[in-house]
Amino acid sequence: MTHEVGSRPLSKAPPPAARPAAKPSAMDYVDRGLEALWSFLTSMRLAMVLLLALAALGVVGSLVVQAPQGVLDNPSAKADFLAEVRPKYGGWTGLMDTFQLFQIFNSVLFKVLMAGLTISLIACSIHRMPGVWRTITKPRLDVGPAFFEHAPQHEAVVVRHTPAETLAIVAGVLRQRRYRILSADDGTIHVYADRFRWALFSGLIGHLALVVILAGVIIGAYYGYRDSNFSIAEGSTLAVGAEPGLSLQLIDFTDSYYAETGAPEDYASQVVLYKDGNEVARHTIRVNDPLHYGDTTFYQAYFGPAAVMTITDASGNTVVDEGIPLAYSAEGGRRGGIFLIPGTAYTGELVSTLGNTDPDIKPGQMQLTLYARDTGSVVDSQVIDQGTTATVGDLTVTFDRESQFTGLSVSRDPGVMLVWLGGALLFGGFALRFLLPHKRVWARITPRGKDGAVLAVASLGSRDAALGTDFEKLVSDVRAALKAPARA
Amino acid sequence: MTTAMAKMSDYAFVAAMLSTGLATLLYLMYALSGLRAARMQTAGGPESGGALGFVSGPRTAAIGRYATIVGWLAVLAMFASLVFRTIATGHGPFANMYEFSMAFAFGVLTAYMWFERRYHQRILALVALPVALIMMIYAATIPADIEPLVPALQNNLLLTVHVAVAIVAYGSFAIAFAASALYLVQTGSGPTFLIGAAAGLATGAGFLITSGVGEAVLYGIAVSLAAYVVTWLVRRFVLRSDADATEAALEASGGRWGLPRPQVLDEIGYHAVVVGFPFLTLTIILGAVWADVAWGSYWSWDPKETASLVTWFIYGAYLHARVMRGWRGTRAAWLLVLGFEATLFTYFGNYFFGGLHSYAGLG
């Protein structure tokens, strides 16, 4: 953070001329309003207030239960969620929902604060740009005599050299340290020297990096997608909804556990990816090892049981012959899955149980309920034992065996590269700032007597900073290069 | 081999705990001895030779040197313990709260010793070493079993770097906190800080006995923050104490009770944050990279993620505040106190909010 506020050398500029007492015109008011707005946007106080307000929202967000994404947009899911948290928050629940406390990071207030912070970041960067540019290209050489008495670090030496010789000596020492040296002579010689001046951009880079990250987040939110419920049973192939032509086949899913502790050791989904029917990738997806294809990535997310079913329609065509994931869990240890039965007018719901006390279904059985797709009404419902065939509605259904399904999360996030770029810039800004800090030294050489001069050297920065010792070494080098003996 | 290494790690850990305790004691003696010497000076008495015939000047320095030596021993022992543990487990210290607390303690110890070398302010140890010691005692009370990694944690390199970077940040923030605490007790805010901190610690201790670590940290922080505000309000508007005047007088006199000059503490706090903030940034970025690889999303507003971002916002605000002239000194020191409380909130976060970081084997 190369903030120069309040540390720039004292200005010798005359005080601004008093405004003429003429009646201000409407344009003046607009002007003044804009000026006030600009100084408000670029004020560090605003940035600070925004940061602390975001921090406060963050605290609320980490203490209050947050609704999973999308839940609050769906009325029935929202009612379920509110019912779930009501025992915890009691009568406050409704009020908390009104104030969007269950979706803090999606709330209007949060978005307003983030937008404000972004605007403030951009405004500050623009505001500071000319100053930084001037410091780099046209630094002020004459900082006035007072600076050499009041700067945090300063030294004055009486030398027995002419001013020109003194300048050559000082410049020699500085050049050895790879400083850039600028000087001007108006009877007094003014010297300015600096090193790593391009590091002044580090603050700018660091701040704009945040804007880059936010841009990545916004792009991801608008142009990316995520399907967290991509369940495939072993042996089945499922089309990726948002990517036409892309489908994924699960060959095998394995979950293994440590013998001693029973803790999970590995979840591995062996998959084949097809594009327009051609195999394009083959991978074993693990928790820390997703499958990337183009912009799309498949992650291991969850897993569960599946039932392999064979269903034949009234005219004897096999319409289903694959594993059905039982991806949702319900009360009493029940698990269920919903699937379309192609070629028929039905949607099927398959339910199994783990509980021995279930009144309708025993472990090892599946209950198949057929719904009419147009009306949603129940057509028929049967419980089927494993390995047996039953007639449900006008379909012949066999529950072949139990298997497993894997739950993947499929996402495409075109903004993620910007996020990483922003992260790299952010850290790069810091690294630049600390590894190559901008160092500045001013010197003033005033003639004294016939062949003498007074050399004053000054620098900013506090004494105990790394710069401090640097300055002291610099001064002692200059002293050593001067003709001895020199009185201070 | 593995068990032998684990044993070595345990022994080294005990050695580290003992030497940290001893070092804390020595630093306390150093401080008391220095306080005595400071009193002698202000009382106009001779610089050496106290009521009991102590030669307090040289004696103070000697105790200080021993304290430093024992402090470095603690750093070494803690480092050895971490290395043995890493060999025993085959991964960095990130699998559970025990390992991470060892790393936290190591971070605080190392950061302190490093700042002592640089700034020669041994008094900081009075706050920094107890923080390290508490982390060690806490680690000693939780299960230290070596358990194989669950799938989400099977990313050795990334997570080891994530934790290594995090402890540099946490260690630096502990030093910044130490500096700001020593700053505040010298100023007019001293009573406010002490009352708030005491209330927070007492609440924390109470909840530690009745409930658990999660509640202790959460309510401890909440009560201390509330107590700061209430005490400040009472002192400002009821007792009408004028903190600014005492502060101005303090700047002129240069430190109370033999403590470092406020300006020096202010500088140390700032430099600690200047070191810690980039590392916190990197911790968050690496965490996001891991989340993207493991969970398919670089940011999920998981409570621990959120808390780390809150901490980042607070230290970010501090750095911006510090460069505005008005925010040196007391107000900046208060932000550092707030920042460290947020750091603790982040660290112990998984106890009270679960979420994706709830792996940490607390069952």
Side-chain angles (χ1 to χ4, degrees):
Chain A
M1 312 233 146
T2 337
H3 294 294
E4 304 299 320
V5 180
S7 60
R8 202 160 280 138
L10 301 167
S11 165
K12 273 206 310 188
R19 272 171 182 270
K23 205 164 177 240
S25 71
M27 265 331 273
D28 280 346
Y29 283 119
V30 174
D31 245 26
R32 248 182 267 171
L34 285 176
E35 237 168 72
L37 179 68
W38 184 248
S39 66
F40 172 71
L41 286 178
T42 55
S43 76
M44 222 171 291
R45 196 173 293 261
L46 175 70
M48 253 189 54
V49 167
L50 287 171
L51 282 173
L52 290 177
L54 282 166
L57 276 193
V59 169
V60 175
S62 52
L63 291 178
V64 175
V65 177
Q66 295 293 297
Q69 228 180 352
V71 161
L72 296 185
D73 304 330
N74 175 342
S76 77
K78 179 175 173 173
D80 286 349
F81 173 79
L82 290 181
E84 205 177 297
V85 295
R86 202 173 294 278
K88 193 168 177 189
Y89 299 115
W92 296 98
T93 312
L95 202 64
M96 288 169 74
D97 179 47
T98 310
F99 285 105
Q100 298 183 302
L101 292 191
F102 298 120
Q103 44 172 343
I104 282 282
F105 306 111
N106 218 2
S107 66
V108 175
L109 182 59
F110 184 78
K111 282 176 182 160
V112 167
L113 289 177
M114 279 314 267
L117 187 65
T118 313
I119 293 169
S120 156
L121 272 169
I122 294 173
C124 277
S125 299
I126 293 173
H127 188 65
R128 290 171 39 76
M129 197 53 226
V132 168
W133 187 248
R134 216 168 22 234
T135 310
I136 289 173
T137 55
K138 285 194 200 104
R140 201 163 63 217
L141 305 187
D142 179 6
V143 283
F147 180 71
F148 293 90
E149 284 159 32
H150 299 297
Q153 308 192 80
H154 55 265
E155 283 280 347
V157 192
V158 177
V159 296
R160 294 196 292 165
H161 293 280
T162 62
E165 284 168 7
T166 314
L167 173 63
I169 290 166
V170 171
V173 170
L174 286 167
R175 205 164 288 132
Q176 229 169 26
R177 293 163 173 262
R178 297 168 183 228
Y179 273 74
R180 165 184 69 157
I181 301 141
L182 302 171
S183 64
D185 191 347
D186 57 6
T188 301
I189 301 180
H190 307 282
V191 184
Y192 169 86
D194 69 354
R195 201 174 169 202
F196 301 133
R197 60 185 182 280
W198 302 108
L200 276 177
F201 282 117
S202 62
L204 214 60
I205 293 171
H207 285 83
L208 289 178
L210 290 176
V211 178
V212 173
I213 291 177
L214 286 170
V217 171
I218 290 167
I219 288 174
Y222 280 95
Y223 300 104
Y225 77 88
R226 160 176 298 273
D227 177 1
S228 312
N229 299 303
F230 194 78
S231 312
I232 329 173
E234 285 174 329
S236 300
T237 305
L238 194 62
V240 179
E243 300 276 337
L246 210 58
S247 60
L248 193 73
Q249 182 187 18
L250 177 68
I251 306 291
D252 178 55
F253 174 80
T254 342
D255 52 325
S256 45
Y257 301 84
Y258 294 109
E260 322 89 64
T261 59
E265 179 181 7
D266 194 18
Y267 304 125
S269 304
Q270 204 184 326
V271 298
V272 181
L273 186 67
Y274 298 95
K275 172 87 180 168
D276 302 322
N278 304 315
E279 177 180 329
V280 287
R282 193 175 269 270
H283 190 71
T284 301
I285 299 174
R286 294 193 155 86
V287 176
N288 267 297
D289 188 10
L291 164 64
H292 298 280
Y293 177 74
D295 285 346
T296 311
T297 312
F298 300 83
Y299 303 88
Q300 183 65 51
Y302 57 105
F303 66 96
V308 179
M309 309 294 289
T310 311
I311 301 177
T312 325
D313 68 7
S315 42
N317 303 318
T318 304
V319 287
V320 171
D321 181 14
E322 61 177 358
I324 309 296
L326 303 176
Y328 73 79
S329 37
E331 300 154 44
R334 283 187 169 190
R335 294 190 67 95
I338 291 172
F339 61 107
L340 288 181
I341 305 175
T344 68
Y346 307 127
T347 299
E349 183 186 25
L350 208 54
V351 177
S352 78
T353 185
L354 293 172
N356 284 314
T357 55
D358 201 302
D360 307 320
I361 315 166
K362 304 263 167 306
Q365 293 183 323
M366 289 288 157
Q367 182 189 52
L368 176 64
T369 307
L370 293 185
Y371 296 88
R373 213 174 295 157
D374 46 359
T375 60
S377 59
V378 176
V379 175
D380 192 9
S381 181
Q382 297 285 332
V383 174
I384 312 168
D385 284 307
Q386 185 168 339
T388 65
T389 303
T391 307
V392 188
D394 58 353
L395 304 177
T396 311
V397 181
T398 311
F399 168 27
D400 298 312
R401 59 191 165 83
E402 288 182 341
S403 78
Q404 279 188 304
F405 79 88
T406 191
L408 303 177
S409 166
V410 187
S411 76
R412 189 183 59 207
D413 187 346
V416 74
M417 283 328 287
L418 275 181
V419 173
W420 299 145
L421 174 69
L425 284 177
L426 188 57
F427 194 72
F430 284 126
L432 196 62
R433 165 85 173 80
F434 296 117
L435 295 178
L436 307 173
H438 182 226
K439 297 175 186 173
R440 291 186 283 178
V441 177
W442 285 267
R444 182 184 175 87
I445 304 164
T446 357
R448 183 175 190 266
K450 212 169 67 170
D451 291 326
V454 178
L455 167 66
V457 195
S459 177
L460 297 170
S462 58
R463 201 170 300 275
D464 62 1
L467 186 71
T469 40
D470 233 49
F471 180 76
E472 279 150 25
K473 273 187 210 139
L474 181 81
V475 169
S476 75
D477 279 8
V478 170
R479 276 180 197 277
L482 293 166
K483 202 186 286 173
R487 283 182 299 116
Chain B
M1 172 70 185
T2 303
T3 26
M5 280 295 163
K7 271 225 166 66
M8 297 274 278
S9 168
D10 292 347
Y11 293 147
F13 179 59
V14 172
M17 216 153 73
L18 290 176
S19 24
T20 308
L22 182 60
T24 310
L25 215 64
L26 283 168
Y27 278 112
L28 189 65
M29 283 165 63
Y30 167 81
L32 291 176
S33 166
L35 176 59
R36 183 196 297 275
R39 250 210 225 123
M40 289 296 147
Q41 266 181 339
T42 45
E47 213 163 300
S48 55
L52 295 169
F54 284 146
V55 185
S56 43
R59 186 188 159 84
T60 311
I63 298 173
R65 273 197 298 278
Y66 285 125
T68 303
I69 292 168
V70 179
W72 278 111
L73 273 180
V75 170
L76 262 178
M78 203 62 232
F79 182 67
S81 178
L82 281 170
V83 168
F84 290 136
R85 179 87 184 179
T86 301
I87 297 171
T89 59
H91 56 73
F94 56 73
N96 50 37
M97 278 305 256
Y98 172 74
E99 292 176 357
F100 201 31
S101 301
M102 286 167 74
F104 193 135
F106 174 69
V108 176
L109 274 177
T110 314
Y112 167 71
M113 295 314 290
W114 190 78
F115 271 86
E116 184 193 297
R117 254 185 93 80
R118 218 182 131 103
Y119 287 96
H120 312 288
Q121 302 295 339
R122 289 200 170 95
I123 302 292
L124 285 175
L126 289 187
V127 182
L129 288 200
V131 171
L133 195 59
I134 289 171
M135 288 313 296
M136 288 176 174
I137 293 170
Y138 163 66
T141 60
I142 54 179
D145 307 329
I146 297 176
E147 281 178 8
L149 294 176
V150 298
L153 292 180
Q154 291 166 11
N155 197 335
N156 198 350
L157 180 66
L158 190 55
L159 287 177
T160 304
V161 178
H162 176 60
V163 168
V165 173
I167 62 168
V168 176
Y170 289 2
S172 311
F173 293 154
I175 299 305
F177 169 70
S180 58
L182 291 173
Y183 184 99
L184 287 174
V185 295
Q186 294 186 64
T187 64
S189 296
T192 309
F193 173 71
L194 289 176
I195 289 171
L201 283 175
T203 311
F207 274 97
L208 198 59
I209 295 162
T210 57
S211 316
V213 178
E215 287 80 1
V217 174
L218 182 62
Y219 293 112
I221 288 173
V223 167
S224 73
L225 292 180
Y228 293 142
V229 174
V230 171
T231 319
W232 182 80
L233 287 174
V234 168
R235 294 185 66 224
R236 177 79 179 72
F237 294 105
V238 181
L239 304 176
R240 295 184 181 281
S241 72
D242 187 2
D244 291 346
T246 37
E247 196 172 336
L250 184 69
E251 280 298 340
S253 75
R256 272 185 186 177
W257 310 306
L259 294 177
R261 275 172 45 229
Q263 244 182 335
V264 172
L265 291 169
D266 189 57
E267 277 285 314
I268 292 176
Y270 175 62
H271 283 191
V273 176
V274 161
V275 173
F277 191 67
F279 279 91
L280 178 64
T281 310
L282 196 56
T283 308
I284 295 175
I285 295 172
L286 289 174
V289 171
W290 173 44
D292 194 45
V293 172
W295 296 315
S297 154
Y298 55 83
W299 199 264
S300 321
W301 295 110
D302 160 77
K304 191 145 177 152
E305 284 173 354
T306 309
S308 69
L309 192 65
V310 168
T311 312
W312 193 83
F313 281 146
I314 291 174
Y315 283 110
Y318 166 82
L319 285 176
H320 285 88
R322 181 75 170 44
V323 298
M324 285 169 34
R325 272 192 195 156
W327 277 72
R328 291 201 177 211
T330 312
R331 278 187 286 180
W334 276 115
L335 267 182
L336 290 183
V337 170
L338 189 65
F340 191 63
E341 299 208 2
T343 307
L344 289 178
F345 182 70
T346 309
Y347 180 79
F348 288 102
N350 31 354
Y351 273 106
F352 37 85
F353 24 65
L356 296 169
H357 277 85
S358 55
Y359 55 80
L362 310 168

